[in-house]
Amino acid sequence: GQKRVTITGAIINAAHEVIFVVTGSGKQQVVMEILTHCGNWHSYPASKVSNRNALWALDKMAAEFLIIK
């Protein structure tokens, strides 16, 4: 089976830096909701991480909503 490590939100928010790595168009809607506080943004665990210490690394497909056409 897959090995996992579980940490609490308090530990994550105490970190000096948190990096979210997001790939693929399937995550586009979720990322947009979290970063813009729209829709059901508060229902995602990532929304509980303090933005003051979060860096979002998105590939082109995940960041498509950010691109002005």
Side-chain angles (χ1 to χ4, degrees):
Q2 191 175 23
K3 295 182 181 186
R4 296 175 184 234
V5 174
T6 302
I7 56 177
T8 66
I11 292 172
I12 294 170
N13 281 325
H16 292 288
E17 187 170 28
V18 176
I19 302 173
F20 290 100
V21 178
V22 186
T23 61
S25 61
K27 304 291 190 318
Q28 189 181 104
Q29 183 67 34
V30 173
V31 172
M32 182 187 72
E33 288 181 17
I34 293 170
L35 295 180
T36 62
H37 292 185
C38 293
N40 292 321
W41 70 274
H42 58 280
S43 67
Y44 303 112
S47 71
K48 311 295 190 253
V49 175
S50 171
N51 282 332
R52 66 178 169 73
N53 62 352
L55 171 70
W56 290 78
L58 310 174
D59 71 356
K60 185 175 180 178
M61 297 302 288
E64 189 71 28
F65 73 96
L66 296 172
I67 299 170
I68 299 172
K69 296 180 181 178

